[in-house]
């Protein structure tokens, strides 16, 4: 996870905490990054997920302080009122002590939102592969939420002991708070009779979701993923030794 995404989530959480009402559906709608990550742009869904996660986290004092300061477990009309009320619930702490605990809780919460909970909003890369007489035709598509920064997709073709980096020409458009991109045309990987693979890497703030679609039955085809890297084996010649 890139720290810049977590920092933006933390900034939005602190802004919500300072608000008179704490977290509401209306106030959360202005927190673009949190709403995108937790609710795929829907503030109602983001509010529900955030509320359930915080109210379920009952084991830690910092989580309790964060939940109270955000207004989920406190009826205080202002930020200060919520801190004072939480201090009583936490054993008579003053508002400065509760504020420090809340800071720790929001820090941990921002990490969770920017990593573990961002399931619906991870960038996705789809690969479609069609085997031809002369090789394989490869098509690539990506979807990236605008709140998540990602670098350029890197593709390396491995044929036997040779490596090459084919040029990639992308067509991009923005819709529904996300960047949609597709490779212009198809990438043709010739069949040379040698073991042939593609290494696809997409670096950024979140690990992407990869999906590979085989449009026919490819001999020896297989895939393997690790973090932000996808390995696709296009051709595995039979062992004739």
């Amino acid at each position: 996870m890139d720290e810049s995404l977590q920092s933006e989530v933390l900034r939005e959480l602190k802004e919500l905490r300072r608000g008179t009402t704490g977290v509401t559906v209306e106030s959360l709608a202005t927190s673009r990054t949190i709403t995108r990550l937790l609710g795929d742009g829907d503030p109602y869904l983001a509010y529900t997920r955030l509320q359930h996660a915080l109210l379920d986290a009952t084991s830690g004092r910092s989580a309790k302080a964060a939940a109270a300061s955000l207004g989920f477990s406190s009826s205080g009309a202002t930020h200060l009122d919520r801190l004072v009320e939480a201090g009583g619930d936490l054993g008579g702490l003053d508002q400065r002590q509760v504020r420090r605990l809340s800071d720790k809780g929001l820090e941990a919460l921002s990490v969770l939102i920017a990593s573990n909970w961002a399931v619906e909003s991870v960038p996705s890369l789809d690969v479609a592969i069609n085997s031809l007489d002369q090789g394989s035709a490869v098509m690539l598509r990506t979807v990236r939420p605008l709140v998540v920064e990602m670098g350029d997709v890197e593709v390396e073709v491995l044929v036997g002991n040779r490596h090459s980096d084919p040029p990639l020409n992308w067509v991009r458009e923005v819709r529904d708070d996300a960047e949609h991109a597709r490779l212009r045309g198809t990438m043709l990987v010739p069949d040379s009779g040698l073991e042939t693979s593609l290494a696809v890497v997409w670096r950024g703030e979140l690990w992407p979701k990869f999906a590979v679609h085989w449009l026919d039955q490819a001999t020896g085809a297989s895939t393997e993923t690790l973090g932000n890297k996808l390995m696709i084996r296009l051709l595995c010649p039979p062992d004739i030794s």
Side-chain angles (χ1 to χ4, degrees), residues 7-235:
S7 297
E8 179 59 22
V9 172
L10 181 58
R11 185 195 68 77
E12 290 186 354
L13 286 172
K14 289 182 176 180
E15 189 69 27
L16 289 167
R17 184 177 64 179
R18 284 194 292 269
T20 301
T21 59
V23 179
T24 64
V25 173
E26 291 74 21
S27 64
L28 196 55
T30 66
S31 303
R32 187 164 172 263
T33 303
I34 295 175
T35 299
R36 180 66 188 180
L37 292 176
L38 290 185
D40 201 20
D42 183 347
Y44 291 93
L45 177 58
Y47 179 86
T48 300
R49 294 191 69 196
L50 184 58
Q51 180 185 47
H52 287 174
L54 273 172
L55 296 183
D56 287 344
T58 56
S59 58
R61 285 157 59 88
S62 61
K64 290 179 179 179
S69 66
L70 290 171
F72 284 114
S73 60
S74 170
S75 58
T78 67
H79 178 208
L80 180 58
D81 289 341
R82 294 192 293 271
L83 292 178
V84 171
E85 183 179 333
D89 294 337
L90 291 169
L93 301 180
D94 64 38
Q95 60 95 6
R96 288 175 297 178
Q97 293 171 306
V98 179
R99 172 64 178 265
R100 286 194 290 270
L101 282 174
S102 175
D103 285 342
K104 290 178 60 179
L106 294 188
E107 179 82 23
L109 181 61
S110 67
V111 173
L112 289 173
I113 292 174
S115 55
N116 300 26
W117 294 351
V119 177
E120 289 87 353
S121 298
V122 297
S124 62
L125 186 149
D126 287 84
V127 185
I129 303 170
N130 191 22
S131 293
L132 307 174
D133 290 340
Q134 67 271 32
S136 298
V138 180
M139 292 152 280
L140 302 176
R141 289 180 179 271
T142 66
V143 179
R144 175 187 65 84
L146 294 180
V147 298
V148 179
E149 291 297 327
M150 299 294 292
D152 294 330
V153 175
E154 302 169 18
V155 178
E156 185 178 23
V157 180
L158 299 85
V159 180
N161 295 323
R162 302 192 307 275
H163 297 196
S164 63
D165 302 308
L168 304 179
N169 186 5
W170 294 94
V171 179
R172 306 177 192 272
E173 65 172 321
V174 174
R175 62 178 188 271
D176 300 327
D177 290 326
E179 180 190 73
H180 299 252
R182 61 178 175 82
L183 200 61
R184 189 185 299 274
T186 59
M187 178 192 309
L188 181 62
V189 182
D191 180 0
S192 64
L194 300 174
E195 182 171 320
T196 303
S197 300
L198 289 182
V200 182
V201 178
W202 197 12
R203 298 182 176 89
E205 292 183 317
L206 293 177
W207 282 355
K209 177 179 69 176
F210 294 111
V212 180
H213 310 277
W214 300 97
L215 303 183
D216 59 0
Q217 184 62 43
T219 303
S222 64
T223 61
E224 181 179 285
T225 61
L226 178 61
N228 58 15
K229 184 174 184 178
L230 168 68
M231 287 293 297
I232 305 172
R233 177 170 291 183
L234 297 173
L235 176 66

